[in-house]
Amino acid sequence: MLPVVAVHGGAGHIPKERAELSTIGVKEAARTGYAILQKGGSAMDAVVEAVALMENNPRFNAGRGSVLNVKGEVEMDAMVMDGRTLDSGAVSAVRRIANPVHLARLVMEKTKHLCLTAEGASKFARSMGVPEVPEESLITDYAKMRWKKNLNPDANPVECQMGKMGTVGAVAVDKDGNIACATSTGGMLNKMEGRVGDTPCVGCGGYADNNIGAVSPTGHGEAIMKVTLSRLILFHMEQGMCYKISKTPEEASDLALTYMKERVDGLGGVVVVDSKGNYAARFSSKQMSWAAAQQGELHYGLYRGEHFVEPVQENMQ
Amino acid sequence: MLPVVAVHGGAGHIPKERAELSTIGVKEAARTGYAILQKGGSAMDAVVEAVALMENNPRFNAGRGSVLNVKGEVEMDAMVMDGRTLDSGAVSAVRRIANPVHLARLVMEKTKHLCLTAEGASKFARSMGVPEVPEESLITDYAKMRWKKNLNPDANPVECQMGKMGTVGAVAVDKDGNIACATSTGGMLNKMEGRVGDTPCVGCGGYADNNIGAVSPTGHGEAIMKVTLSRLILFHMEQGMCYKISKTPEEASDLALTYMKERVDGLGGVVVVDSKGNYAARFSSKQMSWAAAQQGELHYGLYRGEHFVEPVQENMQ
């Protein structure tokens, strides 16, 4: 069953013209992560590089392609977590960085802290030699169009909802059984300046523990925070282990997503792995672009119930 | 058993000359919260005003009296959570605000978001008419002295540790059974600019759920985040309920604090309440100043095993 990697490219209502590109993007990301794992790379390397690829892909709401805040600016959140040590690194409301997930990893590896925010995160980036990129390089025409549309008081709520739902993330277990997660996002469309969502919040925007598994979520960030979605799913899996009432990643995810919907009226989705290498991609939203690679096969889907399989190698260059 | 309020004034190694003032401070805060509850006030009002009082008290590492970051500046984190709705509000790395806990409550009540950071939080404060205070008004001579001492590469590690351990917090259940928590801190002594600790992170720096209870922690923020301490304790209590293996707030706290020590080598402490009004004040550090008020009695302590009781009314003015 090992190694395995599963990624998502955001949950919500994905416009038709972007759906195919989103699927291509998550498949590429899963392949990238899997190639690292097959070469004996760590789960941490796999999730970080899979997420960085999606940050670089303008189709996703993370890195280049991030949604804009109410002022038309890009402020990004990212986190990584290492299931061996429970060590974690995050940045919140960071600007002018191409790959927030790399910066989050540097926070974990090079500081005694777990999270740096805003200007402090930028100063740390400079001290690490991470180049500052022009803000315009992160902003796509599509992001600008949606920002303008949503400034309109008569904005279409479906359009609005889409903006709330993007985030990219990955979970992996490497051949040594080490587990990691990574999540990155531009946040919520037309968010207030300085708004921090679930992503950099340990237990909300991700969690990884070698003893249990890992989760990377996407969806309505505020709802995810209220129920600490990532840790909640792992609690369910853990509880299953303790009381011999086995809760698979799939069952645990569905239980937690249903709870999030009922208790705080929030929609979202997750990719999950357990320590044995079982994975799940589940969502309560209309769609979530996801892909997973395991035992030479690439699995992917977009709508609920969709599950396509093809050889990982097939389209590799 | 209702209403009840429990507060802490930080865990760690509290210097002798400050220990008495710290105990006086937490007793005042518990009395303030309890007076609100007895007049029929909400759990939210009780925890926020108890914490605001400790923010105003220069003996605590929150608001006035906050520890300084590596640049000698004050950056504060705070959060509140409402157990009825799981709604929460937080600010991180906020500057020049007398009462971050009040600003956190405004984030919860006046925005669609749960957390605002740094300059974005300051702009929101201005838009709400929250006055900006001179940074010097938040800095005590004691904080300055410790900052200077710890810049020295030969800094005394015990002194250092003290700096890591302060935070103030409160949990309460009101007569209607509504539950809330609030936590506020200046963070870790000589922290990097922009460092965000556990406090504004839902599930780490606090959690409240009417169905279970509430937690406010203190201690090594990074360790608290790694184990999502607040949600972990409530999960143990919840699990106890589900499987009829009753886990009291005390048992659940000890279980989680022991786990935090063993898994990530972190010390800390918590105040906890459950929905029936049972409270606990537990810590793995040498000391934690705490106080709780219930059924007309004020309970308090500082060292492990200490538990003094006196009538709430006795010293009231």
Side-chain angles (χ1 to χ4, degrees), chain A residues 115 117 123 194 196 201 207 226, chain B residues 115 117 193-194 196 201 207 226:
Chain A
C115 182
T117 191
K123 285 184 183 167
V196 178
C201 184
Y207 202 81
K226 288 177 189 178
Chain B
C115 181
T117 191
E193 203 182 340
V196 178
C201 184
Y207 202 81
K226 288 176 189 177

Side-chain angles (χ1 to χ4, degrees), chain B residues 70-140:
Chain B
V70 70
K71 286 180 68 182
E73 301 161 341
V74 172
E75 292 184 290
M76 300 166 290
D77 300 337
M79 73 103 73
V80 299
M81 188 160 182
D82 185 333
R84 291 176 301 177
T85 55
L86 305 186
D87 211 356
S88 163
V91 288
S92 64
V94 72
R95 293 163 183 253
R96 292 181 293 280
I97 297 287
N99 292 110
V101 74
H102 284 152
L103 191 57
R105 185 175 185 171
L106 284 172
V107 170
M108 178 177 77
E109 292 177 348
K110 305 291 183 191
T111 80
K112 287 178 299 185
H113 301 320
L114 260 59
C115 181
L116 294 176
T117 191
E119 192 49 31
S122 297
K123 285 183 183 168
F124 171 67
R126 282 194 283 278
S127 78
M128 289 283 119
V130 175
E132 191 160 290
V133 300
E135 180 148 19
E136 305 76 53
S137 71
L138 300 172
I139 301 179
T140 59

Side-chain angles (χ1 to χ4, degrees), chain A residues 204-267:
Chain A
C204 302
Y207 202 81
D209 183 343
N210 269 16
N211 297 337
I212 320 169
V215 179
S216 174
T218 169
H220 185 201
E222 277 71 9
I224 291 171
M225 291 163 94
K226 288 177 189 178
V227 303
T228 62
L229 184 65
S230 297
R231 191 65 186 92
L232 182 63
I233 289 171
L234 294 175
F235 277 135
H236 287 318
M237 287 160 59
E238 202 176 7
Q239 201 175 36
M241 288 191 275
C242 284
Y243 294 93
K244 316 270 188 229
I245 42 153
S246 169
K247 288 249 178 18
T248 64
E250 199 167 295
E251 288 165 346
S253 300
D254 289 350
L255 203 58
L257 287 167
T258 301
Y259 174 70
M260 185 167 90
K261 197 172 168 183
E262 289 174 356
R263 183 80 193 262
V264 298
D265 197 24
L267 299 179

Side-chain angles (χ1 to χ4, degrees), chain A residues 87-313:
Chain A
D87 211 357
S88 164
V91 289
S92 63
V94 72
R95 293 163 184 254
R96 292 181 292 280
I97 298 288
N99 291 110
V101 74
H102 285 151
L103 190 58
R105 186 175 184 170
L106 284 171
V107 170
M108 177 177 77
E109 292 177 347
K110 305 293 184 190
T111 80
K112 288 178 298 185
H113 301 320
L114 260 59
C115 182
L116 295 176
T117 191
E119 193 48 33
S122 297
K123 285 184 183 167
F124 171 67
R126 283 194 282 279
S127 78
M128 289 284 118
V130 174
E132 192 161 292
V133 299
E135 181 149 19
E136 303 76 55
S137 71
L138 300 172
I139 301 180
T140 58
D141 289 342
Y142 184 74
K144 236 185 265 178
M145 177 271 288
R146 287 170 65 211
W147 170 67
K148 277 190 191 150
K149 242 186 185 169
N150 279 283
L151 285 180
N152 189 327
D154 304 324
N156 176 340
V158 174
E159 272 280 13
C160 266
Q161 194 195 330
M162 281 190 280
K164 289 180 183 175
M165 293 289 175
T167 288
V168 303
V171 292
V173 192
D174 61 31
K175 64 176 176 41
D176 299 324
N178 289 317
I179 303 180
C181 70
T183 310
S184 181
T185 188
M188 181 194 277
L189 179 58
N190 292 37
K191 65 188 179 181
M192 288 172 71
E193 203 182 342
R195 177 263 192 182
V196 178
D198 61 301
T199 301
C201 184
V202 181
C204 302
Y207 202 81
D209 183 343
N210 269 16
N211 297 337
I212 320 169
V215 179
S216 174
T218 169
H220 185 201
E222 277 71 9
I224 291 171
M225 291 163 94
K226 288 177 189 178
V227 303
T228 62
L229 184 65
S230 297
R231 191 65 186 92
L232 182 63
I233 289 171
L234 294 175
F235 277 135
H236 287 318
M237 287 160 59
E238 202 176 7
Q239 201 175 36
M241 288 191 275
C242 284
Y243 294 93
K244 316 270 188 229
I245 42 153
S246 169
K247 288 249 178 18
T248 64
E250 199 167 295
E251 288 165 346
S253 300
D254 289 350
L255 203 58
L257 287 167
T258 301
Y259 174 70
M260 185 167 90
K261 197 172 168 183
E262 289 174 356
R263 183 80 193 262
V264 298
D265 197 24
L267 299 179
V270 288
V271 286
V272 184
V273 285
D274 71 13
S275 52
K276 291 176 191 152
N278 299 301
Y279 80 88
R282 307 294 291 174
F283 46 103
S284 55
S285 51
K286 201 173 163 194
Q287 290 152 291
M288 180 177 83
S289 57
W290 65 272
Q294 187 172 45
Q295 296 180 312
E297 287 182 333
L298 186 71
H299 306 251
Y300 61 96
L302 180 65
Y303 285 90
R304 255 180 278 177
E306 253 180 22
H307 188 148
F308 301 106
V309 187
E310 63 187 43
V312 168
Q313 298 284 328

Side-chain angles (χ1 to χ4, degrees), chain A residues 3-5 27-36 38 291-300 308-317:
Chain A
V4 59
V5 59
K27 285 167 73 177
E28 271 176 6
R31 282 201 169 94
T32 298
Y34 194 63
I36 291 169
Q38 281 197 305
Q294 187 172 45
Q295 296 180 312
E297 287 182 333
L298 186 71
H299 306 251
Y300 61 96
F308 301 106
V309 187
E310 63 187 43
V312 168
Q313 298 284 328
E314 195 180 53
N315 295 324
M316 283 194 100
Q317 289 156 355

